[in-house]
Amino acid sequence: MTTAYITHPDYVHHDIPNHPERPARMKAIWKLLDEEGLSARMKAYTPSPATDEHLLMVHTPDYLAEIAQAQKEGYGIRFTVDTILLPETAITARLSAGGGICAVDALMQGEANNALVITRPPGHHAVANSAMGFCYFNNIAIATRYAQQVYGIERVMIVDYDVHHGNGTQDIFYDDNTVMFVSTHQSPLYPGTGGLNETGEGKGKGYTVNIPIPAGHGDTSYAQIYERIIWKVAEKFMPQLIMISAGFDAHWDDPLASMRLSLAGYHHLDSQLIRMAQQFCMGKIIFMLEGGYNTDTLARGIGNIAHALLGDDTYHDPFGALDARDDINNLIEKVCQVHDL
Ligand SMILES: [Zn+2]
């Protein structure tokens, strides 16, 4: 079993002062993976920046031109109050998108069985024509399109367990029946999208599955959702590749949200996703980092993913669990009704 480990030392270069999406996130993960001997057991890759051709698989020419112009003239762009393009942001964001492309190459060329992409800035809020929510280029959408266009993969399932709805990813594939987008997210919460009746349009009708969860739910509710919804979606869709938007901000101790997953709960979800990949697509699964703003729980959670991808039974949860809501049956029944599961 070979696990590709994709990261780049320059991922620390985009640094907005006092911003939760900060270089310390990378450093904490690198340190833990090194100290626990996990990086040594994986096959390391250093990605190249995504080219215009790669970015244009998802983003509009106008958006790339807007960024290029800002770079040339040396000014920043404030897309939103907390999504700012600094001079070093564009190249870092290209490198970040390159991480996903590198993972697809490693899997499709048979060099690795699965992959862990430790990257920033994250991607799942970025839409075709704009940055948004700390995200500049939609890394997972670009990697998905790249797998389809370069390697002829027909069906990709994206599971997004970041606590925020992956509005950008949803938007990019909304009318597409070759990409199944499944998201669990806290609701209400930023960015406000991801209602359970948002199910896709045109050819893509039924290929977006939103599971908007009220604050306070934890391990039991998420485990139920995976068992009763996500497994069934995978069985129906039969993915050839599974991609994960892995955000650790649904952990109970994350400063940006109010869900109550523990690291043991996250480990259960990761194990389920890896089992799905084994069952449906010869183990082909790529975990790509999105959010997670408590660096201790983030690093430990990523360490647990590395263990799981390497086939270990080991996981660590030194932080424990809090009591959580488990009245999730109504929501599950509604989602199953909407999607005929
Ligand atoms: Zn998030």
Side-chain angles (χ1 to χ4, degrees):
M1 177 74 74
T2 303
T3 297
Y5 170 39
I6 293 130
T7 194
H8 197 294
D10 290 352
Y11 286 156
V12 296
H13 284 175
H14 159 71
D15 188 4
I16 300 170
N18 303 315
H19 198 290
E21 203 294 282
R22 59 203 191 278
R25 301 176 63 235
M26 290 289 104
K27 292 176 188 166
I29 296 169
W30 292 337
K31 183 164 181 273
L32 184 133
L33 293 179
D34 287 348
E35 284 180 358
E36 309 241 325
L38 287 161
S39 38
R41 295 174 57 202
M42 299 187 280
K43 186 170 179 181
Y45 289 83
T46 308
S48 306
T51 63
D52 281 358
E53 191 188 350
H54 297 141
L55 299 178
L56 287 168
M57 290 177 179
V58 162
H59 294 285
T60 62
D62 284 355
Y63 177 47
L64 297 197
E66 184 184 7
I67 289 177
Q69 185 67 17
Q71 293 284 291
K72 202 168 103 193
E73 298 184 9
Y75 64 86
I77 304 176
R78 190 175 282 264
F79 288 100
T80 66
V81 67
D82 53 16
T83 308
I84 301 163
L85 189 93
L86 298 172
E88 68 277 20
T89 303
I91 185 61
T92 314
R94 274 183 192 260
L95 264 181
S96 188
I101 290 168
C102 181
V104 170
D105 282 335
L107 259 63
M108 294 304 152
Q109 293 176 14
E111 293 176 10
N113 303 90
N114 52 36
L116 176 61
V117 186
I118 298 306
T119 185
R120 67 178 286 279
H124 73 151
H125 295 305
V127 292
N129 63 359
S130 186
M132 190 178 157
F134 317 166
C135 302
Y136 300 85
F137 299 128
N138 197 310
N139 305 325
I140 202 161
I142 292 164
T144 297
R145 280 289 182 241
Y146 180 78
Q148 293 187 314
Q149 293 179 16
V150 175
Y151 294 101
I153 298 290
E154 287 166 7
R155 293 180 309 281
V156 181
M157 178 158 138
I158 299 175
V159 180
D160 185 329
Y161 63 49
D162 187 280
V163 80
H164 302 97
H165 179 236
N167 63 294
T169 314
Q170 168 171 307
D171 205 51
I172 288 158
F173 299 117
Y174 208 53
D175 60 356
D176 192 324
N177 61 358
T178 68
V179 178
M180 175 64 77
F181 176 68
V182 184
S183 175
T184 51
H185 44 273
Q186 183 180 324
S187 177
L189 188 68
Y190 179 88
T193 48
L196 68 95
N197 290 316
E198 295 169 26
T199 60
E201 66 186 13
K203 279 202 319 280
K205 192 84 190 156
Y207 292 83
T208 293
V209 178
N210 280 307
I211 306 153
I213 312 172
H217 282 274
D219 300 354
T220 309
S221 298
Y222 273 84
Q224 285 280 308
I225 286 166
Y226 272 59
E227 187 182 324
R228 294 170 57 190
I229 300 174
I230 302 183
W231 268 102
K232 288 186 180 167
V233 171
E235 275 163 21
K236 269 173 88 170
F237 184 65
M238 298 293 283
Q240 295 165 306
L241 171 65
I242 298 179
M243 310 269 298
I244 311 302
S245 270
F248 279 84
D249 40 12
H251 188 271
W252 61 262
D253 202 20
D254 191 274
L256 261 58
S258 312
M259 298 308 282
R260 291 206 163 173
L261 266 177
S262 70
L263 290 185
Y266 264 113
H267 168 73
H268 176 73
L269 308 186
D270 295 331
S271 306
Q272 296 301 305
L273 293 165
I274 290 167
R275 272 188 46 212
M276 278 177 217
Q278 285 161 350
Q279 187 155 333
F280 301 112
C281 44
M282 295 178 295
K284 288 195 179 64
I285 187 165
I286 298 174
F287 282 80
M288 295 187 62
L289 179 62
E290 300 282 358
Y293 303 97
N294 173 326
T295 52
D296 296 332
T297 52
L298 170 64
R300 186 53 74 181
I302 295 292
N304 289 339
I305 295 179
H307 275 302
L309 287 173
L310 286 161
D312 303 344
D313 289 329
T314 321
Y315 74 93
H316 303 279
D317 184 0
F319 309 99
L322 292 187
D323 284 345
R325 294 175 60 180
D326 58 8
D327 52 330
I328 201 70
N329 197 41
N330 269 351
L331 174 63
I332 291 178
E333 282 179 0
K334 275 191 213 154
V335 174
C336 289
Q337 206 171 13
V338 168
H339 288 278
D340 202 18
L341 295 170

